[in-house]
Amino acid sequence: MQINRQMCFGYEWNASRHFGLTKNLRSMLQMYEHNNGKPMSTPAIAQWLSNTLYFKRFFPYYTFNVLGGVDDAGVGCCWSYDAVGSHERCKYSSSGTGQQLIQPLLDNQVGHKNQIRAIEVDLTADEAEDLIKDALTSAGERDIYTGDYADIARVDKNGVHLSKFELKFD
């Protein structure tokens, strides 16, 4: 789900809780922009989300989120959250029922973890999108709770580009 021109918000499991959280986030961003005359930075939004999830920990939104965007320096950034707001900035992340299937693939192909002679080469946007589609297809074949489609968001300095990727055709 697109939050602003340079950021999108991913979630899993409970859409109604996520929509409530997104509604609060969008209203807060609008108030911030009116009060300060400029949009909130991506790292500041990431911290706000962490604080909001933490403050609601006794009656949580119970959404596991991934926040992605472009920071003020024009560098891509990603944050991974648990239900009570613990978060970390990372190069890549996954969430949802297929996470156990997708994350090892990302660790191997993007993070080059546990490889002795790995040559770290940054993926192009098209290569990264193809890798994500392959990972989602694999998870969809092996995990019955993975849905029928995935929304793929490509975020760059020109904005957020959304596409829908069909996983199951039955």
Side-chain angles (χ1 to χ4, degrees):
M1 181 174 285
Q2 186 172 349
I3 297 297
N4 61 21
R5 191 182 153 287
Q6 62 186 15
M7 177 173 276
C8 62
F9 194 26
Y11 65 96
E12 52 87 18
W13 189 58
N14 193 326
S16 63
R17 291 180 182 173
H18 179 76
F19 288 134
L21 180 59
T22 302
K23 183 178 176 182
N24 289 345
L25 175 60
R26 285 189 173 150
S27 65
M28 184 277 309
L29 289 173
Q30 190 174 36
M31 285 190 307
Y32 181 91
E33 193 164 345
H34 285 300
N35 291 339
N36 297 293
K38 63 179 182 176
M40 184 180 275
S41 69
T42 302
I45 294 170
Q47 185 61 52
W48 179 89
L49 179 59
S50 175
N51 292 348
T52 300
L53 291 170
Y54 181 75
F55 291 138
K56 295 281 287 181
R57 69 190 178 277
F58 297 115
F59 187 68
Y61 285 108
Y62 210 77
T63 60
F64 294 83
N65 305 289
V66 176
L67 189 67
V70 178
D71 64 13
D72 295 335
V75 177
C77 48
C78 176
W79 284 270
S80 180
Y81 295 83
D82 70 2
V84 292
S86 295
H87 72 291
E88 69 172 325
R89 184 173 177 163
C90 48
K91 188 174 180 179
Y92 55 90
S93 181
S94 64
S95 182
T97 61
Q99 179 181 16
Q100 292 83 4
L101 300 169
I102 294 174
Q103 194 65 36
L105 178 67
L106 295 176
D107 287 342
N108 183 274
Q109 296 297 307
V110 179
H112 304 288
K113 297 191 178 183
N114 300 319
Q115 296 182 21
I116 297 170
R117 293 183 188 96
I119 299 171
E120 291 195 31
V121 178
D122 287 336
L123 298 172
T124 66
D126 289 332
E127 290 171 338
E129 189 169 329
D130 289 342
L131 177 65
I132 294 302
K133 287 178 179 178
D134 289 343
L136 289 168
T137 300
S138 179
E141 290 293 322
R142 289 164 181 80
D143 177 37
I144 62 171
Y145 299 110
T146 298
D148 295 336
Y149 71 93
D151 292 320
I152 297 178
R154 183 187 287 198
V155 184
D156 58 22
K157 62 183 179 182
N158 298 321
V160 178
H161 313 282
L162 297 171
S163 62
K164 185 175 180 176
F165 180 61
E166 298 286 339
L167 293 173
K168 298 177 184 170
F169 300 103
D170 49 1

mmCIF file of all heavy atoms in Angstrom, residues 97-120:
data_model
loop_
_atom_site.group_PDB
_atom_site.id
_atom_site.type_symbol
_atom_site.label_atom_id
_atom_site.label_comp_id
_atom_site.label_asym_id
_atom_site.label_seq_id
_atom_site.Cartn_x
_atom_site.Cartn_y
_atom_site.Cartn_z
ATOM 1 N N THR A 97 3.029 -15.701 5.948
ATOM 2 C CA THR A 97 3.113 -17.142 6.147
ATOM 3 C C THR A 97 4.194 -17.778 5.285
ATOM 4 O O THR A 97 4.740 -18.810 5.648
ATOM 5 C CB THR A 97 1.771 -17.826 5.845
ATOM 6 O OG1 THR A 97 1.419 -17.593 4.483
ATOM 7 C CG2 THR A 97 0.679 -17.311 6.760
ATOM 8 N N GLY A 98 4.533 -17.182 4.170
ATOM 9 C CA GLY A 98 5.584 -17.714 3.304
ATOM 10 C C GLY A 98 6.974 -17.210 3.656
ATOM 11 O O GLY A 98 7.940 -17.501 2.950
ATOM 12 N N GLN A 99 7.084 -16.466 4.748
ATOM 13 C CA GLN A 99 8.369 -15.880 5.128
ATOM 14 C C GLN A 99 9.458 -16.940 5.314
ATOM 15 O O GLN A 99 10.599 -16.736 4.904
ATOM 16 C CB GLN A 99 8.225 -15.073 6.413
ATOM 17 C CG GLN A 99 9.525 -14.452 6.892
ATOM 18 C CD GLN A 99 9.348 -13.673 8.185
ATOM 19 O OE1 GLN A 99 8.346 -13.826 8.875
ATOM 20 N NE2 GLN A 99 10.316 -12.852 8.505
ATOM 21 N N GLN A 100 9.122 -18.074 5.890
ATOM 22 C CA GLN A 100 10.117 -19.121 6.127
ATOM 23 C C GLN A 100 10.648 -19.686 4.816
ATOM 24 O O GLN A 100 11.724 -20.269 4.783
ATOM 25 C CB GLN A 100 9.527 -20.253 6.979
ATOM 26 C CG GLN A 100 9.209 -19.861 8.390
ATOM 27 C CD GLN A 100 7.862 -19.173 8.514
ATOM 28 O OE1 GLN A 100 7.106 -19.040 7.561
ATOM 29 N NE2 GLN A 100 7.568 -18.696 9.713
ATOM 30 N N LEU A 101 9.896 -19.554 3.747
ATOM 31 C CA LEU A 101 10.333 -20.031 2.444
ATOM 32 C C LEU A 101 11.070 -18.945 1.656
ATOM 33 O O LEU A 101 12.000 -19.244 0.902
ATOM 34 C CB LEU A 101 9.127 -20.518 1.637
ATOM 35 C CG LEU A 101 8.336 -21.656 2.270
ATOM 36 C CD1 LEU A 101 7.030 -21.856 1.533
ATOM 37 C CD2 LEU A 101 9.154 -22.927 2.282
ATOM 38 N N ILE A 102 10.667 -17.709 1.807
ATOM 39 C CA ILE A 102 11.224 -16.612 1.015
ATOM 40 C C ILE A 102 12.505 -16.054 1.615
ATOM 41 O O ILE A 102 13.461 -15.759 0.890
ATOM 42 C CB ILE A 102 10.165 -15.506 0.842
ATOM 43 C CG1 ILE A 102 9.011 -16.030 -0.015
ATOM 44 C CG2 ILE A 102 10.763 -14.254 0.220
ATOM 45 C CD1 ILE A 102 7.842 -15.081 -0.123
ATOM 46 N N GLN A 103 12.557 -15.893 2.939
ATOM 47 C CA GLN A 103 13.708 -15.241 3.564
ATOM 48 C C GLN A 103 15.036 -15.964 3.301
ATOM 49 O O GLN A 103 16.031 -15.309 3.005
ATOM 50 C CB GLN A 103 13.476 -15.077 5.072
ATOM 51 C CG GLN A 103 14.453 -14.128 5.727
ATOM 52 C CD GLN A 103 14.316 -12.692 5.254
ATOM 53 O OE1 GLN A 103 13.221 -12.207 4.998
ATOM 54 N NE2 GLN A 103 15.432 -12.003 5.130
ATOM 55 N N PRO A 104 15.105 -17.299 3.347
ATOM 56 C CA PRO A 104 16.379 -17.954 3.021
ATOM 57 C C PRO A 104 16.837 -17.690 1.585
ATOM 58 O O PRO A 104 18.038 -17.545 1.330
ATOM 59 C CB PRO A 104 16.095 -19.443 3.231
ATOM 60 C CG PRO A 104 14.949 -19.489 4.163
ATOM 61 C CD PRO A 104 14.129 -18.266 3.860
ATOM 62 N N LEU A 105 15.897 -17.603 0.666
ATOM 63 C CA LEU A 105 16.251 -17.291 -0.720
ATOM 64 C C LEU A 105 16.818 -15.875 -0.824
ATOM 65 O O LEU A 105 17.826 -15.648 -1.496
ATOM 66 C CB LEU A 105 15.031 -17.442 -1.626
ATOM 67 C CG LEU A 105 15.259 -17.106 -3.091
ATOM 68 C CD1 LEU A 105 16.202 -18.122 -3.726
ATOM 69 C CD2 LEU A 105 13.956 -17.060 -3.838
ATOM 70 N N LEU A 106 16.192 -14.931 -0.137
ATOM 71 C CA LEU A 106 16.705 -13.564 -0.137
ATOM 72 C C LEU A 106 18.072 -13.487 0.535
ATOM 73 O O LEU A 106 18.962 -12.771 0.071
ATOM 74 C CB LEU A 106 15.720 -12.622 0.561
ATOM 75 C CG LEU A 106 14.363 -12.434 -0.118
ATOM 76 C CD1 LEU A 106 13.456 -11.552 0.735
ATOM 77 C CD2 LEU A 106 14.523 -11.874 -1.510
ATOM 78 N N ASP A 107 18.247 -14.224 1.635
ATOM 79 C CA ASP A 107 19.554 -14.253 2.301
ATOM 80 C C ASP A 107 20.641 -14.747 1.362
ATOM 81 O O ASP A 107 21.753 -14.224 1.338
ATOM 82 C CB ASP A 107 19.512 -15.158 3.540
ATOM 83 C CG ASP A 107 18.742 -14.548 4.684
ATOM 84 O OD1 ASP A 107 18.524 -13.319 4.677
ATOM 85 O OD2 ASP A 107 18.345 -15.304 5.591
ATOM 86 N N ASN A 108 20.317 -15.748 0.560
ATOM 87 C CA ASN A 108 21.290 -16.330 -0.349
ATOM 88 C C ASN A 108 21.536 -15.457 -1.573
ATOM 89 O O ASN A 108 22.681 -15.185 -1.925
ATOM 90 C CB ASN A 108 20.821 -17.721 -0.776
ATOM 91 C CG ASN A 108 21.810 -18.409 -1.670
ATOM 92 O OD1 ASN A 108 21.785 -18.213 -2.886
ATOM 93 N ND2 ASN A 108 22.695 -19.198 -1.082
ATOM 94 N N GLN A 109 20.479 -15.015 -2.223
ATOM 95 C CA GLN A 109 20.617 -14.322 -3.500
ATOM 96 C C GLN A 109 20.880 -12.825 -3.372
ATOM 97 O O GLN A 109 21.520 -12.246 -4.238
ATOM 98 C CB GLN A 109 19.356 -14.540 -4.350
ATOM 99 C CG GLN A 109 19.137 -15.971 -4.731
ATOM 100 C CD GLN A 109 20.256 -16.506 -5.608
ATOM 101 O OE1 GLN A 109 20.584 -15.912 -6.629
ATOM 102 N NE2 GLN A 109 20.864 -17.594 -5.195
ATOM 103 N N VAL A 110 20.387 -12.193 -2.327
ATOM 104 C CA VAL A 110 20.570 -10.751 -2.154
ATOM 105 C C VAL A 110 21.641 -10.463 -1.106
ATOM 106 O O VAL A 110 22.532 -9.645 -1.327
ATOM 107 C CB VAL A 110 19.239 -10.066 -1.766
ATOM 108 C CG1 VAL A 110 19.432 -8.573 -1.573
ATOM 109 C CG2 VAL A 110 18.171 -10.341 -2.809
ATOM 110 N N GLY A 111 21.560 -11.147 0.038
ATOM 111 C CA GLY A 111 22.514 -10.911 1.117
ATOM 112 C C GLY A 111 23.811 -11.670 0.989
ATOM 113 O O GLY A 111 24.777 -11.383 1.685
ATOM 114 N N HIS A 112 23.838 -12.672 0.109
ATOM 115 C CA HIS A 112 25.021 -13.522 -0.103
ATOM 116 C C HIS A 112 25.543 -14.090 1.210
ATOM 117 O O HIS A 112 26.745 -14.176 1.429
ATOM 118 C CB HIS A 112 26.122 -12.750 -0.825
ATOM 119 C CG HIS A 112 25.665 -12.177 -2.128
ATOM 120 N ND1 HIS A 112 25.429 -12.952 -3.236
ATOM 121 C CD2 HIS A 112 25.370 -10.906 -2.494
ATOM 122 C CE1 HIS A 112 25.025 -12.184 -4.231
ATOM 123 N NE2 HIS A 112 24.976 -10.942 -3.805
ATOM 124 N N LYS A 113 24.633 -14.500 2.088
ATOM 125 C CA LYS A 113 25.016 -15.036 3.393
ATOM 126 C C LYS A 113 25.423 -16.498 3.255
ATOM 127 O O LYS A 113 24.894 -17.229 2.428
ATOM 128 C CB LYS A 113 23.867 -14.892 4.375
ATOM 129 C CG LYS A 113 23.543 -13.431 4.609
ATOM 130 C CD LYS A 113 22.624 -13.241 5.753
ATOM 131 C CE LYS A 113 22.430 -11.732 5.899
ATOM 132 N NZ LYS A 113 21.638 -11.369 6.990
ATOM 133 N N ASN A 114 26.361 -16.892 4.090
ATOM 134 C CA ASN A 114 26.874 -18.260 4.148
ATOM 135 C C ASN A 114 27.450 -18.731 2.820
ATOM 136 O O ASN A 114 27.344 -19.899 2.464
ATOM 137 C CB ASN A 114 25.787 -19.229 4.626
ATOM 138 C CG ASN A 114 25.294 -18.871 6.010
ATOM 139 O OD1 ASN A 114 26.083 -18.508 6.882
ATOM 140 N ND2 ASN A 114 23.998 -18.949 6.211
ATOM 141 N N GLN A 115 28.056 -17.821 2.106
ATOM 142 C CA GLN A 115 28.733 -18.159 0.860
ATOM 143 C C GLN A 115 30.206 -17.790 1.009
ATOM 144 O O GLN A 115 30.535 -16.673 1.381
ATOM 145 C CB GLN A 115 28.122 -17.410 -0.326
ATOM 146 C CG GLN A 115 26.692 -17.786 -0.595
ATOM 147 C CD GLN A 115 26.136 -17.051 -1.802
ATOM 148 O OE1 GLN A 115 26.873 -16.571 -2.641
ATOM 149 N NE2 GLN A 115 24.820 -16.987 -1.886
ATOM 150 N N ILE A 116 31.065 -18.727 0.709
ATOM 151 C CA ILE A 116 32.498 -18.508 0.917
ATOM 152 C C ILE A 116 33.081 -17.545 -0.107
ATOM 153 O O ILE A 116 33.789 -16.619 0.227
ATOM 154 C CB ILE A 116 33.249 -19.854 0.886
ATOM 155 C CG1 ILE A 116 32.756 -20.720 2.056
ATOM 156 C CG2 ILE A 116 34.750 -19.636 0.979
ATOM 157 C CD1 ILE A 116 33.232 -22.139 2.012
ATOM 158 N N ARG A 117 32.780 -17.762 -1.361
ATOM 159 C CA ARG A 117 33.379 -16.946 -2.417
ATOM 160 C C ARG A 117 32.337 -16.106 -3.155
ATOM 161 O O ARG A 117 32.405 -15.954 -4.365
ATOM 162 C CB ARG A 117 34.101 -17.851 -3.407
ATOM 163 C CG ARG A 117 35.296 -18.533 -2.801
ATOM 164 C CD ARG A 117 36.037 -19.370 -3.822
ATOM 165 N NE ARG A 117 37.061 -20.148 -3.167
ATOM 166 C CZ ARG A 117 36.911 -21.405 -2.777
ATOM 167 N NH1 ARG A 117 35.785 -22.025 -2.987
ATOM 168 N NH2 ARG A 117 37.902 -22.032 -2.180
ATOM 169 N N ALA A 118 31.427 -15.572 -2.423
ATOM 170 C CA ALA A 118 30.349 -14.803 -3.049
ATOM 171 C C ALA A 118 30.867 -13.469 -3.576
ATOM 172 O O ALA A 118 31.659 -12.792 -2.927
ATOM 173 C CB ALA A 118 29.241 -14.540 -2.046
ATOM 174 N N ILE A 119 30.436 -13.138 -4.761
ATOM 175 C CA ILE A 119 30.739 -11.841 -5.338
ATOM 176 C C ILE A 119 29.466 -11.010 -5.207
ATOM 177 O O ILE A 119 28.453 -11.316 -5.823
ATOM 178 C CB ILE A 119 31.147 -11.975 -6.820
ATOM 179 C CG1 ILE A 119 32.396 -12.836 -6.932
ATOM 180 C CG2 ILE A 119 31.366 -10.603 -7.433
ATOM 181 C CD1 ILE A 119 32.744 -13.206 -8.356
ATOM 182 N N GLU A 120 29.537 -9.991 -4.379
ATOM 183 C CA GLU A 120 28.346 -9.186 -4.127
ATOM 184 C C GLU A 120 28.154 -8.186 -5.247
ATOM 185 O O GLU A 120 28.941 -7.275 -5.441
ATOM 186 C CB GLU A 120 28.459 -8.477 -2.779
ATOM 187 C CG GLU A 120 28.396 -9.448 -1.619
ATOM 188 C CD GLU A 120 28.148 -8.766 -0.302
ATOM 189 O OE1 GLU A 120 27.475 -7.713 -0.283
ATOM 190 O OE2 GLU A 120 28.616 -9.287 0.704
#
